[in-house]
């Protein structure tokens, strides 16, 4: 009799342990950007890779549309998001406690996971506005970007480099997702968007009734800008290939670029960061097919452009896979 009871108890215990481990789902949220940008589908692509292995990891990753880079960094650090996509330049500023983080100081809990696609500062204007260069923005209605976005500081940097103050223009601060509509309605003359190409936003802006063109950001002012900020680099937007409806005659437009990067907090569990890193890199060719902006990706360049130390969970994978040789020593803590 007693033996039977013990056996029953032991069985009940086993059943509950087994069902607990099966039922233990780990919910992970990835902060992205506006739905017409590249961050949003990128969050989807990363989630897809790890969710495929749900049985193995128990991870269910979901994507959140957010205000962009600055919002994502802050939300990752406050624990509101597990992961966030952010521009390499904003990652640099957050880590060093500069620009948007000047009052708060260096964000020492920020951790890098990997870099993703290149992004370029894209200035787009209606043909009717007569804007052909950054200097022509004076007196015009220009959307600089919403607070929380990466482009807000980029557009301010570009204007400053060209000696244009906010008083010289009529600045707007709306989300990128709304900008193509405003441009097409004639309610703004131009907008800035730091984004990977091709994307739905610039497609929408270039395919409406009003003719628009992508404006080059080049010249001595830009050379000075590149010297001042180490994270900016020269870039090209393949306008003919990606946006054939734009009024540009040239195949490519010169501008300034950064990189999209994936960040998390030092507090994020190592097994979660490991799983995401492993699934993206182990299935690299499948991942690359998920967005045309990934065409230029290599495993090596996905480890460049980072400032915050690599999260231990990601580092574990880079050690196992031998990719660690591409990582600067300063990022290994
Ligand atoms: N670079 C933009 C930002 O940081 C977002 C671009 C995108 O959503 O693809 O706000």
């Amino acid at each position: 009799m007693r033996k039977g009871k013990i056996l029953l108890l032991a069985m009940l215990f086993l059943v509950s342990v087994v069902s607990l481990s099966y039922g233990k789902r780990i919910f992970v949220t990835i902060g992205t950007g506006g739905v017409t940008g590249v961050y949003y589908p990128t969050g989807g692509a990363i989630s897809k890779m790890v969710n495929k292995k749900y049985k193995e990891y128990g991870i269910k990753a979901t994507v959140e549309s957010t205000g962009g880079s600055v919002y994502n960094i802050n939300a990752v650090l406050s624990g509101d998001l597990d992961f966030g996509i952010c521009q390499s330049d904003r990652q640099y500023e957050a880590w060093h406690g500069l620009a948007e983080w000047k009052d708060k100081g260096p964000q020492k809990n920020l951790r890098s996971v990997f870099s993703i696609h290149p992004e370029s500062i894209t200035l787009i204007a209606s043909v009717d506005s007569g804007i052909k260069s950054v200097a022509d923005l004076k007196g015009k209605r220009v959307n600089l970007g919403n607070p929380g976005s990466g482009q807000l500081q980029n557009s301010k940097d570009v204007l400053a480099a060209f000696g244009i103050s906010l008083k010289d223009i009529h600045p707007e601060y709306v989300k990128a997702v709304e900008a193509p509509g405003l441009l097409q309605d004639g309610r703004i003359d131009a907008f800035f968007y730091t984004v990977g190409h091709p994307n739905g936003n610039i497609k929408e802006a270039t395919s409406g009734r009003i003719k628009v063109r992508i404006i080059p950001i080049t010249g001595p002012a830009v050379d000075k800008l590149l010297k001042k900020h180490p994270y900016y680099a020269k870039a090209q937007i393949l306008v003919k290939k990606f946006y054939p409806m734009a009024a540009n005659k040239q195949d490519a437009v010169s501008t300034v670029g950064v990189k999209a990067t994936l960040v998390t907090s030092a507090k994020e569990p190592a097994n979660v960061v490991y799983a995401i890193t492993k699934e993206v890199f182990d299935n690299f060719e499948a991942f690359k097919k998920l967005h045309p902006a990934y065409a230029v990706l290599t495993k090596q360049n996905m480890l460049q452009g980072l400032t915050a130390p690599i999260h231990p969970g990601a580092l574990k994978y880079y050690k196992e896979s031998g990719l660690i040789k591409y990582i600067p020593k300063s990022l290994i803590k």
Side-chain angles (χ1 to χ4, degrees), residues 32-34 37-40 67-70 86-87 117 119 148-151 193-196:
T32 61
V38 183
Y39 286 10
Y40 190 73
S69 286
V70 175
C86 72
Q87 294 174 201
H117 57 279
E119 302 188 82
S149 72
Q151 53 269 10
Y193 191 16
T194 306
V195 67

Side-chain angles (χ1 to χ4, degrees), residues 84 99 144:
L144 304 181

Side-chain angles (χ1 to χ4, degrees), residues 19-316:
S19 60
L20 240 180
S21 60
Y22 264 107
K24 207 176 153 222
R25 261 192 223 170
I26 306 168
F27 288 102
V28 167
T29 47
I30 305 175
T32 61
V35 293
T36 54
V38 183
Y39 286 10
Y40 190 73
T42 294
I46 295 169
S47 310
K48 190 175 171 180
M49 304 314 291
V50 72
N51 288 344
K52 262 190 201 166
K53 295 281 182 72
Y54 177 72
K55 277 204 182 121
E56 194 175 328
Y57 302 118
I59 295 176
K60 179 91 191 68
T62 51
V63 171
E64 214 172 279
S65 169
T66 74
S69 286
V70 175
Y71 176 91
N72 292 341
I73 292 174
N74 292 333
V76 154
L77 292 170
S78 68
D80 287 340
L81 290 171
D82 296 287
F83 293 86
I85 307 177
C86 72
Q87 294 174 201
S88 48
D89 53 315
R90 296 305 96 197
Q91 185 187 139
Y92 177 97
E93 303 288 43
W95 175 253
H96 291 291
L98 303 166
E100 290 93 336
W101 295 272
K102 212 169 162 191
D103 294 337
K104 292 189 202 161
Q107 302 299 300
K108 294 296 177 201
N109 273 338
L110 192 64
R111 292 294 176 271
S112 301
V113 186
F114 47 75
S115 283
I116 326 167
H117 57 279
E119 302 188 82
S120 32
I121 306 181
T122 309
L123 174 60
I124 181 159
S126 63
V127 170
D128 286 348
S129 70
I131 299 166
K132 288 195 171 142
S133 69
V134 178
D136 298 333
L137 290 176
K138 279 191 185 163
K140 303 291 183 192
R141 297 160 302 171
V142 188
N143 186 39
L144 304 181
N146 59 293
S149 72
Q151 53 269 10
L152 181 54
Q153 190 58 43
N154 298 150
S155 50
K156 287 180 181 171
D157 286 348
V158 170
L159 291 176
F162 283 81
I164 300 172
S165 90
L166 292 184
K167 289 195 192 94
D168 298 327
I169 62 163
H170 299 287
E172 297 284 350
Y173 301 95
V174 303
K175 286 188 171 175
V177 71
E178 293 167 35
L182 293 176
L183 191 65
Q184 281 297 328
D185 286 347
R187 287 165 62 197
I188 55 172
D189 300 303
F191 73 86
F192 281 96
Y193 191 16
T194 306
V195 67
H197 296 283
N199 63 74
N201 187 292
I202 305 296
K203 270 188 198 153
E204 184 188 340
T206 49
S207 27
R209 188 178 51 86
I210 287 191
K211 279 279 158 205
V212 303
R213 61 164 73 93
I214 299 177
I215 310 299
I217 304 176
T218 48
V222 166
D223 296 336
K224 253 201 268 162
L225 181 72
L226 299 192
K227 270 204 193 119
K228 190 171 168 203
H229 298 293
Y231 42 67
Y232 286 138
K234 288 191 177 171
Q236 298 266 317
I237 301 168
L238 303 180
V239 57
K240 268 277 149 330
K241 181 174 174 196
F242 292 143
Y243 311 108
M245 307 274 284
N248 295 76
K249 296 225 163 33
Q250 65 272 56
D251 290 341
V253 173
S254 299
T255 184
V256 174
V258 293
K259 262 181 166 205
T261 70
L262 185 69
V263 291
T264 188
S265 153
K267 292 181 187 148
E268 188 66 21
N271 60 326
V272 174
V273 185
Y274 174 83
I276 286 189
T277 311
K278 181 174 168 65
E279 291 314 313
V280 168
F281 280 88
D282 274 1
N283 304 291
F284 185 64
E285 289 311 317
F287 177 76
K288 259 182 89 164
K289 288 201 187 91
L290 296 178
H291 197 285
Y294 305 159
V296 294
L297 296 187
T298 63
K299 287 186 180 180
Q300 187 173 352
N301 68 26
M302 283 181 76
L303 297 167
Q304 290 163 354
L306 304 167
T307 309
I310 306 276
H311 189 285
L315 202 59
K316 182 181 168 215

